[in-house]
């Protein structure tokens, strides 16, 4: 009952047309947000909805504020849209709150002791430093994305695309609210959102329900707006009409809309799918751009050609509940000839299989093509740069189904072998019938500096296969991926950040089976928060893909125990392991180790590079302790924003002064006096309906005189009294005298008003501060 009363009050307060318009515009923008969240990788409804709804209200408000110049309104909306995108994507709410609190504390100290330097600026400087760091990294990642796009080789960055899509949705929502409110053109208002929706569905036509909602909202808005305009003309002309006309017209619009949408969905010549296909044909040349913007591509079904190890779910699930007995079951004995190895025993990962497709319940391999090779036949013609050759002799102790184990990427084997290729340079697994074989492989020699500078110029097959995730990935998993890596500029830093985060979870084999209908990564990250290698590796691959990094799951064995007497590694079933691998351009697949039970330096592909301890990647990426480039970016962004605000303020004053000068002297003086009366309301000056201008001026002067002794700005407020009296006398002479004011009077009035306007603001601040101090004194008296 209370809800119905509240709704009735809202309708009576705003009007039926405004309420219905907001409802329909909101439905259209919400459908666009949901469609984009489904079609764009790593975008969530929680990120897009605020941009859509707040943008709609901002556009509606600008449309209602007809006195605001168009250029000023556009500037304000652009700044608000950029700020909203930065706050949402960068999670700057907490940082801004801390900066605000620190600024208020500092202002209070300066106010109380204006001639004394504040003792401690650490809190404010640290909060600004943290804010600058985040904003600078966001700016750099967006700039890198734009630079790659301008160079003709676009790349995908989830943070940059989240910023762009959030601002784009804000823009179309602002336009929709403004166009309906200001020019009453609903079809024109919905068109940009409809174009966005159709273009998105052209690449990802999984669900066109959002387009039906958009079409229905547009038709309803057109019909209701036409009736509303006509009803207002009746009211303006004094034409009587029945209230039933409104209900009947609304019902007719709803019926016609339902019929048109139904016909559009059923009639081939008006098919919604044809609209999407037309966009797909028109935009076929911009597929790389769509991929860089994160637009998903419909996944083609995989063939049913399976091998025994193609769909293992969690590959190392047999480790659950196991104990020390596995350490007695020797699986492999491996001898390595590594001339670069020094006194420190190298650690390797013996990889057998890699998985590219995450299902939510585990892993499976996509379509592969088998190729058979003769003994000693290489898989590549030449050794790429930044690689070194590693020779291993592997003895299979426990049957492994013919799988080949090795460190690095395959070069050749001294026995006949078969490779299951996904594509060039992409191996699912290798099979040989020999129980003992010699395998030559290639391992990367890249160090951390090289990996940080590797860039994001990924091959097409990498982007298409190793960045995609299932549509059913929970939203909070994608949000976590974005939040963890928002401050990490390079792909390597993002990977190390995710790795360090996961290593905080304790390792355990005493685990329950995951719930049947739960995503295992979501279950591990937010509920279980402990696990074994499959959980850690799966979580890092999913989070890495959520952060825009090509990643896959590798399965095999950890290093095992080194036997120096025989120069060999003894690998047992207890060393069965899975780990994530991240692709870096020019360097290939690099292994990472998020599993807490494994040493942090267990990274075979990176030679002689000590792994960074937990948290080191944050320090290395800290723009205030590194090269300073990010610091400059942050300074430019924050300083530029403040400078832009100052420039806008000065421009507004200049434009206002110019407009006042263009008015006739009498009109300009009347405008200034009306502004004086409006400003006085902030000082609680009571104006009675019958008060003369002199009575109003006397009341305002009394208020200013009363405030003057209680503030340090007493001379300014006393001068304000004289300026109020002069402006009032000029206004009275303008209204009642037979001699009109001159241009010189107008010029002087404008100059006096600009000074008086600032003094009145000082008076309002003094009044507010006086009330606050009075309340604090009363509290102290009560407590005393």
């Amino acid at each position: 009952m209370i809800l119905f009363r509240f709704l009735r009050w809202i309708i009576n307060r705003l009007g039926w047309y405004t309420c219905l318009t907001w409802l329909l515009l909101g439905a259209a923008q919400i459908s666009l947000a949901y469609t984009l969240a489904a079609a764009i990788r790593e975008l969530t409804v929680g990120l897009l909805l605020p941009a859509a709804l707040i943008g709609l209200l901002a556009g509606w408000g600008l449309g209602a504020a007809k006195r605001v110049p168009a250029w000023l309104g556009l500037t304000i909306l652009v700044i608000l849209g950029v700020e909203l995108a930065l706050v949402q994507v960068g999670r700057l709410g907490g940082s801004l709150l801390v900066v605000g609190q620190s600024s208020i504390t500092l202002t209070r100290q300066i106010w109380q002791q204006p001639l004394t330097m504040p003792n401690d600026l650490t809190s404010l400087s640290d909060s600004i430093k943290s804010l600058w760091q985040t904003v600078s990294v966001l700016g750099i990642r967006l700039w890198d994305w734009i630079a790659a796009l301008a160079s003709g080789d676009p790349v995908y960055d989830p943070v940059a695309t989240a910023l762009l899509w959030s601002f784009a949705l804000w823009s179309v929502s602002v336009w929709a609210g403004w166009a309906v409110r200001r020019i009453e053109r609903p079809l024109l208002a919905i068109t940009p959102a409809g174009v966005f929706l159709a273009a998105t569905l052209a690449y990802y036509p999984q669900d066109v329900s959002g387009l039906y909602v958009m079409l229905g909202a547009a038709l309803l808005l057109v019909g209701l707006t036409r009736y509303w305009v006509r009803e207002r003309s009746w009211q303006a002309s004094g034409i009587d009409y029945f209230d039933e006309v409104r209900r009947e017209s609304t019902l007719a619009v709803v019926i016609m809309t339902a019929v048109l949408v139904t016909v559009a969905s059923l009639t081939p010549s008006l098919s919604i799918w044809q609209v999407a296909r037309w966009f797909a044909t028109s935009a076929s040349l911009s597929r790389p751009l769509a991929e860089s913007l994160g637009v998903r591509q419909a996944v083609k079904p995989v063939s049913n050609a399976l091998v025994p190890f193609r769909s293992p779910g969690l590959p190392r699930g047999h480790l659950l509940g196991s104990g020390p007995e596995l350490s007695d079951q020797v699986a492999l004995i491996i001898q390595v000839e590594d001339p670069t190895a020094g006194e420190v025993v190298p650690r390797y990962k013996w990889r057998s299989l890699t998985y590219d497709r995450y299902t939510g319940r585990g892993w499976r391999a996509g379509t592969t093509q088998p190729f058979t090779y003769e003994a000693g036949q290489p898989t590549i013609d030449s050794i790429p740069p930044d690689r070194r050759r590693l020779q291993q002799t592997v003895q299979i102790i426990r049957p492994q189904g013919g799988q080949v184990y090795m460190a690095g990427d395959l070069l050749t084997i001294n026995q006949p072998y078969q490779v299951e290729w996904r594509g060039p340079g992409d191996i699912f697994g290798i099979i040989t019938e020999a129980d003992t074989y010699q395998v030559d492989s290639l391992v990367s020699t890249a160090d951390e500096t090289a990996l940080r500078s590797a860039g994001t110029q990924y091959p097409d097959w990498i982007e298409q296969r190793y960045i995609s995730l299932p549509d059913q990935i929970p939203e909070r998993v994608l949000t976590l991926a974005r939040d963890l890596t928002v401050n990490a500029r390079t792909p390597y830093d993002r990977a190390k950040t995710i790795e360090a985060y996961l290593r905080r979870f304790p390792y355990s084999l005493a685990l329950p089976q995951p719930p049947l209908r739960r995503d295992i990564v979501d279950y591990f990250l937010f509920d279980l928060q402990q696990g074994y290698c499959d959980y850690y590796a799966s979580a890092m691959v999913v989070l890495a893909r959520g952060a825009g990094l090509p990643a896959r799951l590798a399965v095999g064995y950890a290093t095992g125990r080194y036997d120096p007497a025989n120069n060999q590694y003894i690998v047992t079933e207890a060393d069965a392991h899975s780990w994530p691998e991240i692709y870096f351009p020019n360097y290939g697949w690099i292994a990472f180790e998020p599993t807490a039970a494994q040493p942090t330096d267990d990274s075979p592909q990176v030679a002689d590079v000590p792994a960074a301890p937990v948290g080191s990647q944050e320090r290395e990426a800290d723009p205030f302790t590194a090269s300073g480039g990010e610091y400059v970016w942050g300074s430019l962004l924050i300083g530029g924003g403040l400078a832009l605000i100052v420039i806008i303020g000065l421009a507004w004053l200049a434009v206002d002064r110019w407009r006042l000068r263009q008015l006739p002297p009498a009109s300009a003086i009347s405008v200034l006096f009306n502004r004086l009366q409006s400003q006085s309301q902030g000082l609680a000056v009571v104006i009675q309906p019958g008060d003369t201008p002199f009575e109003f001026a006397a009341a305002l002067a009394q208020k200013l005189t009363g405030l003057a002794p209680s503030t340090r700005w007493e001379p300014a407020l006393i001068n304000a009294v004289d300026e109020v009296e002069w402006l009032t006398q000029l206004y009275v002479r303008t209204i009642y005298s037979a001699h009109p004011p001159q241009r010189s009077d107008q010029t002087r009035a404008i100059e006096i008003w600009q000074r008086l306007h600032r003094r009145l603001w000082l008076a309002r601040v003094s009044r507010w501060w006086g009330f606050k101090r009075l309340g604090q004194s009363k509290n102290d008296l009560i407590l005393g």
Side-chain angles (χ1 to χ4, degrees):
M1 195 67 179
I2 298 177
L3 179 60
F4 287 123
R5 290 180 180 176
F6 176 73
L7 293 176
R8 182 176 298 177
W9 179 82
I10 289 291
I11 294 174
N12 292 334
R13 181 76 175 177
L14 300 178
W16 68 271
Y17 173 74
T18 300
C19 293
L20 282 178
T21 301
W22 281 6
L23 183 64
L24 293 173
L25 286 175
Q29 301 307 314
I30 289 173
S31 69
L32 177 58
Y34 271 91
T35 302
L36 290 178
I40 309 300
R41 296 199 304 260
E42 285 77 54
L43 276 192
T44 61
V45 175
L47 177 68
L48 296 177
L49 269 185
L53 298 181
I54 297 175
L56 197 61
L57 293 177
W60 186 276
L62 179 63
K66 297 183 178 180
R67 296 182 59 183
V68 177
W71 67 268
L72 180 61
L74 178 62
T75 303
I76 292 174
L77 290 177
V78 169
I79 293 175
L80 288 177
V82 172
E83 289 182 350
L84 181 62
L86 289 173
V87 169
Q88 283 194 286
V89 177
R91 301 292 182 179
L92 300 180
S95 299
L96 290 174
L97 181 62
V98 174
V99 170
Q101 292 174 343
S102 301
S103 301
I104 292 174
T105 302
L106 181 61
T107 304
R108 186 179 302 167
Q109 293 176 2
I110 296 176
W111 181 276
Q112 294 173 350
Q113 299 178 348
L115 301 179
T116 304
M117 186 67 182
N119 296 327
D120 187 12
L121 297 176
T122 304
S123 177
L124 180 60
S125 62
D126 288 345
S127 56
I128 293 177
K129 175 181 175 180
S130 176
L131 182 63
W132 279 1
Q133 177 181 354
T134 303
V135 173
S136 66
V137 174
L138 290 173
I140 290 171
R141 292 179 67 170
L142 181 59
W143 178 257
D144 290 343
W145 185 91
I146 295 173
L149 181 64
S151 66
D153 194 7
V155 298
Y156 170 68
D157 184 333
V159 171
T161 55
L163 289 170
L164 292 170
W165 282 108
S166 179
F167 183 76
L169 188 57
W170 161 272
S171 301
V172 298
S173 299
V174 165
W175 167 258
W178 182 86
V180 172
R181 182 66 177 84
R182 176 70 68 89
I183 61 178
E184 296 180 339
R185 300 284 298 276
L187 189 59
L188 187 62
I190 294 293
T191 297
V195 171
F196 261 96
L197 197 60
T200 303
L201 291 174
Y203 290 103
Y204 192 71
Q206 298 297 312
D207 184 7
V208 296
S209 59
L211 201 54
Y212 288 116
V213 173
M214 188 77 68
L215 178 61
L219 294 175
L220 287 172
L221 279 171
V222 169
L224 293 175
T225 301
R226 292 292 298 272
Y227 173 77
W228 168 244
V229 172
R230 181 163 298 181
E231 183 177 293
R232 283 191 307 173
S233 67
W234 293 342
Q235 294 174 352
S237 303
I239 300 175
D240 293 332
Y241 60 92
F242 294 104
D243 292 337
E244 287 77 7
V245 173
R246 180 184 302 166
R247 289 192 292 271
E248 293 176 356
S249 299
T250 303
L251 181 61
V253 169
V254 171
I255 293 175
M256 291 181 63
T257 298
V259 171
L260 288 174
V261 172
T262 302
V263 171
S265 63
L266 298 178
T267 305
S269 61
L270 298 176
S271 174
I272 296 291
W273 286 101
Q274 287 190 358
V275 177
R277 282 195 292 268
W278 178 83
F279 268 96
T281 303
S282 303
S284 60
L285 297 178
S286 61
R287 181 68 231 178
L289 174 61
E291 291 177 351
S292 69
L293 287 171
V295 180
R296 301 179 190 271
Q297 190 173 14
V299 180
K300 298 180 180 179
V302 184
S303 67
N304 294 324
L306 300 177
V307 294
F309 312 104
R310 188 173 294 277
S311 301
L314 293 178
R316 294 311 186 190
H318 68 279
L319 296 176
L320 289 176
S322 62
E325 69 279 358
L326 290 182
S327 62
D328 298 329
Q329 303 173 10
V330 178
L332 308 171
I333 297 178
I334 303 176
Q335 290 182 330
V336 178
E337 294 185 13
D338 188 354
T340 65
E343 296 181 359
V344 179
V345 177
R347 302 186 61 84
Y348 300 101
K349 286 185 171 70
W350 316 110
R351 185 204 305 131
S352 61
L353 303 171
T354 62
Y355 293 95
D356 59 333
R357 296 194 175 178
Y358 176 69
T359 65
R361 295 292 303 167
W363 292 90
R364 65 185 179 90
T367 304
T368 60
Q369 183 70 33
F371 284 86
T372 301
Y373 295 83
E374 298 178 359
Q377 182 181 357
T379 56
I380 58 175
D381 296 329
S382 60
I383 298 179
D386 300 303
R387 305 289 201 282
R388 64 182 177 87
R389 190 166 185 159
L390 186 68
Q391 188 176 91
Q392 306 133 76
T393 301
V394 181
Q395 181 181 358
I396 305 296
I397 305 301
R398 292 177 61 86
Q400 303 290 333
Q403 299 176 49
V404 171
Y405 291 84
M406 64 181 176
D409 298 321
L410 176 65
L411 180 59
T412 186
I413 302 177
N414 70 341
Q415 301 287 340
Y417 62 99
Q418 177 178 296
V419 178
E420 292 278 347
W421 293 96
R422 294 191 186 93
D426 190 7
I427 295 177
F428 163 53
I430 311 161
I431 296 176
T432 183
E433 296 181 355
D435 292 333
T436 300
Y437 52 87
Q438 180 179 293
V439 55
D440 288 5
S441 62
L442 301 176
V443 295
S444 175
T445 59
D447 57 12
E448 289 185 344
T449 302
L451 294 177
R452 279 198 173 90
S453 62
T456 55
Q457 303 299 320
Y458 304 118
D460 292 340
W461 62 271
I462 286 287
E463 289 189 339
Q464 294 171 4
R465 187 174 299 145
Y466 289 107
I467 295 183
S468 63
L469 287 169
D471 297 340
Q472 297 78 19
I473 287 289
E475 178 178 320
R476 59 181 180 177
V477 174
L478 301 178
T479 302
L480 176 62
R482 188 174 61 246
D483 292 347
L484 285 176
T485 59
V486 71
N487 287 328
R489 178 182 177 183
T490 68
Y492 180 77
D493 291 324
R494 295 174 215 169
K496 295 297 290 184
T497 300
I498 296 172
E499 180 189 58
Y501 175 79
L502 294 175
R503 289 188 66 85
R504 298 186 301 180
F505 292 3
Y507 182 87
S508 176
L509 291 174
L511 302 174
Q513 288 293 329
L516 289 178
R517 297 186 179 180
R518 283 289 302 278
D519 183 278
I520 60 169
V521 169
D522 179 84
Y523 174 64
F524 169 66
L525 290 173
F526 299 100
D527 295 326
L528 193 61
Q529 296 191 334
Q530 59 177 336
Y532 64 106
C533 57
D534 280 347
Y535 280 116
Y536 289 96
S538 299
M540 182 161 180
V541 173
V542 171
L543 291 175
R545 292 187 180 186
L549 306 179
R552 69 183 184 185
L553 183 83
V555 176
Y557 288 93
T559 305
R561 177 176 59 85
Y562 181 68
D563 179 8
N566 297 305
N567 188 29
Q568 61 187 14
Y569 292 87
I570 309 299
V571 182
T572 68
E573 288 298 331
D575 298 312
H577 193 42
S578 58
W579 60 91
E581 294 181 343
I582 310 294
Y583 185 87
F584 292 86
N586 300 322
Y587 301 109
W589 294 100
I590 304 298
F592 287 80
E593 189 50 81
T595 303
Q598 292 290 331
T600 56
D601 61 348
D602 192 9
S603 298
Q605 277 81 359
V606 182
D608 303 326
V609 179
V614 175
S616 66
Q617 61 276 5
E618 289 88 341
R619 292 195 298 272
E620 291 165 349
D622 187 351
F624 296 88
T625 58
S627 62
E630 293 87 347
Y631 180 88
V632 174
W633 261 98
S635 302
L636 289 175
L637 289 172
I638 300 298
L642 294 176
L644 182 61
I645 294 174
V646 173
I647 292 172
I648 291 173
L650 293 176
W652 168 251
L653 292 176
V655 171
D656 185 55
R657 184 185 181 94
W658 176 81
R659 290 180 59 191
L660 289 173
R661 286 181 178 273
Q662 303 308 308
L663 295 175
S667 299
I669 293 169
S670 298
V671 168
L672 294 178
F673 189 77
N674 291 334
R675 291 185 181 181
L676 178 63
Q677 288 182 317
S678 177
Q679 288 286 333
S680 66
Q681 296 178 3
L683 295 172
V685 176
V686 180
I687 305 176
Q688 302 296 334
D691 285 352
T692 65
F694 287 118
E695 289 174 335
F696 157 72
L700 178 57
Q702 182 179 4
K703 179 67 69 173
L704 294 173
T705 304
L707 288 173
S710 62
T711 178
R712 67 192 67 195
W713 297 314
E714 181 177 359
L717 298 186
I718 295 299
N719 291 333
V721 174
D722 297 335
E723 292 167 347
V724 168
E725 293 177 354
W726 186 91
L727 190 59
T728 304
Q729 291 175 357
L730 179 62
Y731 173 73
V732 170
R733 180 160 62 88
T734 301
I735 298 299
Y736 299 106
S737 174
H739 302 286
Q742 303 299 314
R743 283 289 178 183
S744 58
D745 297 326
Q746 178 186 11
T747 301
R748 187 181 179 192
I750 294 173
E751 294 175 352
I752 287 179
W753 167 249
Q754 289 186 337
R755 293 195 300 270
L756 180 58
H757 181 257
R758 294 193 295 269
R759 301 185 200 276
L760 292 177
W761 271 106
L762 288 177
R764 295 176 69 174
V765 173
S766 300
R767 179 174 178 270
W768 171 80
W769 186 254
F771 278 133
K772 184 174 181 181
R773 296 186 64 180
L774 179 61
Q776 186 175 9
S777 300
K778 289 182 178 180
N779 291 336
D780 295 342
L781 182 62
I782 293 173
L783 294 174

